[in-house]
Amino acid sequence: MNRLLRAFFRPTQKITATGVYTILVIAAAAMVLLGWFLPWFVGPFSEGVGFSPQDAISTAPTGIGTILLYVTGVCMLIVLLSPFVEFTLRARHRALDVRWDMVRAAASVVGLVLTVVVWILVRWINEEPLFGALPNGITTDSAVWLEMYGFGLAAITYGLKRLVLERPNVMFVVGVLPFGVLLPLMFHQAPAFVLWATQSLAIYMLLGLGLNVVVGFAGLLDLGYAAFFAIGGYACASLASPIHGVHISLWMLIFIGAAIAATFGAILGAPTLRLRGDYLAIVTLGFGEIIPDLATNNVFGLTGGPNGISGIDKPVVGSVNFGFNPQWFYWSLLFFSVVVVIMLLNMQRARIGRAWVALREDEVAAAATGINTTTTKLLAFAIGASVSGLAGAFYGAIVSIVSPDDFQFAVSIAVLSIIVLGGIGNISGVILGAFVLTFVIFWALPNLQEWSATLGHTFNVPAISGIDFTRYTFILYGAALIIMMLFRPAGLLPSRARKVELESGIESESLAAVQGRA
Amino acid sequence: MTPVEAHTEGNGAAPAAAGAPMLELRSIDVNYGRVRALRGVSLTVNEGEIVALIGSNGAGKTTTLRTISGLNRPSRGEVRLRGVPIHQLGAERIARMGVAHAPEGRRLFPRMTVRENLEMGAYARTDRAGVRESFERVFTLFPRLKERTSQLAGSLSGGEQQMVAIGRAYMSNPQILLLDEPSLGLAPILVDTIFEVIREINARGGTILLIEQNALLALKTASRGYVLETGNIALSGPAQDLLTSPDVQRAYLGM
């Protein structure tokens, strides 16, 4: 266990150190900003108007509490502006004075403390002398949580900047994992958001981690990855629903689903062993189309045809029924994600990981150094597929109905986009990619609607209030990828290998070309 | 002619440095689709000697090496390592049995560091102490690599890449080293360095099968040589004899 942990915390990707620092700084600023604005946008439409300094100041600028709010506001501005200042300076090859790190860290700590103080004052000692007249139930907990988290993250990042640069992986975990765990609590006033979190973020993160083994580590482009997701989902659905009268516990099913998916992964891998690049991509694409079609045609009477399988059991642990407490799905998924991440990090550093990289770099040379290319490739497919099967089993239990429509090509593309966006081959990058993409697609875009409506009404511009952003999901999606490819082609957190390849244009020949049968 | 020589007469070569046959090819045929690349190639490499395989472009030199290391399958004939047939085995099994192949065009893992490339050479080994020893030996042979351990292989110069390629092959502590055109595309001074190291490896007891277009250099380094022409062994014998053979001089030495 000790070895596992040590492997996990060993700094390996020095080159991403500034990347992690940048991500943490931007994340902190974004959370502070979001926490600031959230009450404005949530306010008019849903429960609880926010505590937000500028609200309180503008509505009732009286009492000594106002001073606290002003100070908090200054801290916010420092946290918000310092990334811009720093990156502008960095772009001009000038460094920010070290003393500023202390100032920023101090401002973050002050902001954190004041946020808590003001929150307590507003919530429990809501007296007029403090803030003037405020209605009851004024705090939006999500906003307060985001403020606190943003300030806390900024304090850690600026205060322990050297540690962040020396041990980016550890600090990434320290900075991001609590956010992942607290997510359902932070947004407990918006149960729909919790559902979003359970259904999308964790599932897509697992899918991204699995696909990353195949595409990132072993360099085998797989465009039909949703097929394994479908296999896991249908395995869960058939073995825990009334359709066949079988009811197996989800905790067994995730392993069964993973095993079945791994088997199919090996089955797909076997005939494609000799294929690389485009050819492999086309075969996997075909496989990804076949599996949902088989499900539509109710193959062997197992899949329930186009309507799919419904009434999938919800797991019950002790007194907690996951059906009524979906956040437990999220936490279970998060737990399994952490387990998967630790397993994958160790694999990456073990012999199999080196064999995958060698295979990706040069198949001939890999074989000549004694790597069994057949088993290495099959293992990549099987392990990648098994993670997807696990995610599929959870998915079935969460949505309680699986149908062929859930596993179309778009899913494969979305997962591929996550790892491209985050950084192919880098586990931290994939996690970040899952965060960003699910956040944009499932939360920002749908909510953008509401926000722009608010803006339109506030400033009396009907043109803004009428935009239906969800219709432009795929446009924004594509635009994001194009922008990524142009400005940061190796992903938000690039793996070392990709960064080198893109910067120096190193590319290894394909096996087929070398053997003259391309 | 003694019976021993008669036995090796099939290959046309007399055993120069005394040693048991390390590697034997017996009437190997290799086809690429309908094209026959090798016809009835037989050759022997004895323990502790350098054997050069020379020939012009397309003669089948690289195919011969690839067949030995299992990257190509012979359609006829057999390959034996210390008397054990290996031509049915997969490339990785053959590598694990001690055939180290430094392939044509070096084929390093460009996005791994020099150290990682060398580590990959020892992939099949489990004796950590031995691997560490091999690292030291490679760094003694190529002091330049020691300065560049954490540099990415793809960013090295051609000569350094060739050093890594040979070093990587040597890391597996091989029975026999197959070198495919180690002088390809290198400056003359680097070629000298590389061949110095090849002789050094041999002096330490290494067995080497060397492919070269630079026939003069190869034959000067080797103890015996084979001349490959369109898939056939056309000539063979002690390297000195080949150097002075009129046919070789005309066709390969430009004299």
Side-chain angles (χ1 to χ4, degrees):
Chain A
M1 191 60 209
N2 196 10
R3 240 187 86 228
L4 288 184
L5 286 176
R6 217 171 334 124
F8 186 58
F9 287 124
R10 207 185 324 153
T12 50
Q13 289 145 337
K14 280 249 158 62
I15 214 156
T16 66
T18 46
V20 167
Y21 174 74
T22 312
I23 296 289
L24 291 183
V25 166
I26 292 177
M31 284 177 199
V32 168
L33 189 71
L34 213 60
W36 193 350
F37 279 99
L38 199 62
W40 267 12
F41 296 121
V42 175
F45 296 97
S46 55
E47 63 278 282
V49 181
F51 141 69
S52 135
Q54 84 282 18
D55 261 10
I57 293 165
S58 57
T59 50
T62 54
I64 54 162
T66 317
I67 301 165
L68 298 181
L69 291 177
Y70 275 124
V71 179
T72 317
V74 171
C75 295
M76 277 181 180
L77 281 177
I78 291 176
V79 171
L80 285 179
L81 292 179
S82 69
F84 289 102
V85 175
E86 182 164 7
F87 299 139
T88 316
L89 285 176
R90 197 190 287 170
R92 295 182 178 178
H93 301 288
R94 283 169 55 198
L96 201 61
D97 195 294
V98 186
R99 278 170 300 174
W100 276 103
D101 285 338
M102 292 316 295
V103 173
R104 295 188 291 187
S108 314
V109 173
V110 171
L112 176 61
V113 172
L114 285 185
T115 306
V116 178
V117 168
V118 171
W119 179 50
I120 290 170
L121 290 177
V122 170
R123 196 87 194 260
W124 283 292
I125 322 173
N126 184 14
E127 292 181 13
E128 285 210 3
L130 271 175
F131 294 102
L134 293 175
N136 283 328
I138 195 158
T139 49
T140 301
D141 286 1
S142 318
V144 180
W145 273 106
L146 279 171
E147 286 299 326
M148 292 196 315
Y149 203 96
F151 277 130
L153 194 58
I156 289 174
T157 314
Y158 293 129
L160 307 174
K161 188 174 175 183
R162 264 187 59 194
L163 206 58
V164 174
L165 293 177
E166 274 168 18
R167 306 224 136 187
N169 286 353
V170 185
M171 296 311 286
F172 188 73
V173 172
V174 169
V176 171
L177 193 62
F179 186 77
V181 175
L182 294 174
L183 207 54
L185 296 178
M186 290 167 88
F187 292 89
H188 71 101
Q189 287 171 324
F193 182 79
V194 173
L195 271 175
W196 157 74
T198 57
Q199 289 185 3
S200 316
L201 172 64
I203 294 275
Y204 270 97
M205 190 157 85
L206 272 175
L207 290 178
L209 288 171
L211 185 62
N212 186 43
V213 173
V214 186
V215 181
F217 293 169
L220 307 163
L221 183 52
D222 186 347
L223 291 182
Y225 193 63
F228 303 119
F229 186 39
I231 288 164
Y234 271 102
C236 169
S238 357
L239 297 176
S241 72
I243 185 170
H244 304 305
V246 185
H247 296 275
I248 298 177
S249 157
L250 174 68
W251 312 115
M252 298 275 289
L253 274 178
I254 52 178
F255 296 108
I256 295 173
I260 294 175
T263 312
F264 273 91
I267 289 173
L268 171 68
T272 58
L273 280 172
R274 290 173 156 272
L275 303 178
R276 272 182 85 90
D278 316 352
Y279 305 97
L280 179 66
I282 289 165
V283 173
T284 53
L285 182 66
F287 184 71
E289 292 301 306
I290 289 170
I291 295 293
D293 280 358
L294 284 179
T296 311
N297 292 323
N298 199 4
V299 61
F300 306 129
L302 283 175
T303 61
N307 296 327
I309 301 173
S310 54
I312 300 169
D313 303 343
K314 299 281 183 189
V316 179
V317 176
S319 60
V320 180
N321 184 329
F322 281 31
F324 304 119
N325 301 286
Q327 66 271 31
W328 283 97
F329 271 127
Y330 173 74
W331 282 322
S332 320
L333 273 168
L334 203 64
F335 170 75
F336 281 103
S337 306
V338 171
V339 171
V340 166
V341 164
I342 291 178
M343 272 171 50
L344 292 183
L345 279 173
N346 278 287
M347 269 183 205
Q348 196 181 7
R349 295 191 177 97
R351 286 165 60 81
I352 182 70
R354 285 191 290 146
W356 281 332
V357 176
L359 195 71
R360 183 185 75 199
E361 298 281 297
D362 193 320
E363 197 169 336
V364 173
T369 52
I371 292 169
N372 188 333
T373 50
T374 309
T375 48
T376 308
K377 275 189 187 181
L378 288 183
L379 260 178
F381 270 116
I383 290 171
S386 68
V387 176
S388 178
L390 186 151
F394 259 108
Y395 178 77
I398 290 170
V399 298
S400 70
I401 171 167
V402 295
S403 72
D405 295 339
D406 300 344
F407 309 106
Q408 293 302 321
F409 182 56
V411 176
S412 300
I413 291 302
V415 178
L416 198 62
S417 306
I418 281 173
I419 65 174
V420 169
L421 184 77
I424 295 177
N426 186 0
I427 291 174
S428 320
V430 172
I431 295 169
L432 184 74
F435 257 97
V436 172
L437 213 71
T438 43
F439 200 72
V440 167
I441 292 180
F442 296 95
W443 191 70
L445 280 179
N447 280 327
L448 219 53
Q449 183 73 32
E450 196 178 323
W451 297 343
S452 68
T454 315
L455 263 186
H457 289 308
T458 310
F459 299 106
N460 208 7
V461 185
I464 301 179
S465 55
I467 305 173
D468 182 2
F469 282 95
T470 45
R471 283 165 59 190
Y472 305 115
T473 305
F474 280 91
I475 293 179
L476 291 172
Y477 202 57
L481 283 182
I482 291 170
I483 291 168
M484 284 299 297
M485 285 299 113
L486 286 176
F487 294 104
R488 209 173 164 83
L492 293 172
L493 286 178
S495 74
R496 192 192 66 198
R498 296 288 154 176
K499 200 174 162 78
V500 171
E501 176 191 358
L502 287 159
E503 280 175 4
S504 58
I506 298 168
E507 191 50 84
S508 47
E509 279 171 288
S510 81
L511 182 66
V514 168
Q515 293 183 340
R517 45 185 177 73
Chain B
M1 194 173 279
T2 66
V4 177
E5 279 170 332
H7 171 70
T8 50
E9 192 53 45
N11 308 326
M22 173 70 78
L23 181 77
E24 290 171 278
L25 269 66
R26 292 186 187 163
S27 42
I28 290 286
D29 283 7
V30 174
N31 303 321
Y32 286 124
R34 286 187 174 178
V35 183
R36 175 159 294 182
L38 295 181
R39 339 160 175 247
V41 169
S42 297
L43 61 81
T44 308
V45 183
N46 293 316
E47 193 165 353
E49 69 175 349
I50 301 182
V51 171
L53 183 61
I54 60 176
S56 54
N57 278 338
K61 304 187 298 287
T62 297
T63 306
T64 309
L65 281 208
R66 291 179 61 97
T67 309
I68 295 170
S69 62
L71 296 170
N72 287 127
R73 284 260 167 274
S75 54
R76 199 168 67 84
E78 52 178 20
V79 182
R80 284 169 179 268
L81 182 72
R82 286 188 187 279
V84 182
I86 57 170
H87 53 277
Q88 304 280 14
L89 303 178
E92 80 282 352
R93 288 283 304 280
I94 295 176
R96 278 156 197 256
M97 288 177 73
V99 176
H101 187 176
E104 187 182 25
R106 307 187 273 264
R107 309 208 67 138
L108 300 180
F109 304 116
R111 291 172 292 183
M112 289 187 182
T113 64
V114 169
R115 174 170 284 278
E116 285 165 343
N117 265 278
L118 295 177
E119 273 171 3
M120 287 312 300
Y123 181 81
R125 294 176 67 179
T126 46
D127 53 325
R128 290 184 171 216
V131 171
R132 219 170 300 135
E133 213 172 280
S134 292
F135 259 115
E136 285 313 310
R137 232 179 298 158
V138 168
F139 288 143
T140 325
L141 291 173
F142 301 108
R144 182 118 48 121
L145 293 188
K146 191 160 191 175
E147 302 158 18
R148 307 207 184 278
T149 44
S150 52
Q151 205 168 320
L152 292 168
S155 68
L156 298 175
S157 74
E160 289 162 344
Q161 289 197 7
Q162 187 62 57
M163 291 176 192
V164 178
I166 295 176
R168 184 178 66 187
Y170 196 51
M171 280 300 291
S172 63
N173 198 14
Q175 306 267 347
I176 181 167
L177 204 52
L178 311 179
L179 302 180
D180 197 336
E181 302 237 15
S183 76
L184 189 73
L186 298 189
I189 182 141
L190 280 169
V191 174
D192 290 346
T193 315
I194 297 282
F195 272 81
E196 196 59 48
V197 170
I198 290 171
R199 272 186 288 261
E200 174 70 29
I201 291 175
N202 179 244
R204 295 179 184 204
T207 309
I208 295 168
L209 176 57
L210 174 70
I211 282 186
E212 262 303 328
Q213 289 215 19
N214 187 339
L216 181 64
L217 191 57
L219 290 174
K220 276 183 175 170
T221 312
S223 55
R224 291 189 301 117
Y226 292 85
V227 179
L228 202 55
E229 260 172 19
T230 57
N232 291 303
I233 298 283
L235 273 175
S236 65
Q240 273 307 318
D241 297 0
L242 290 179
L243 272 172
T244 51
S245 143
D247 290 341
V248 174
Q249 286 191 344
R250 188 164 18 84
Y252 300 103
L253 304 178
M255 290 182 210

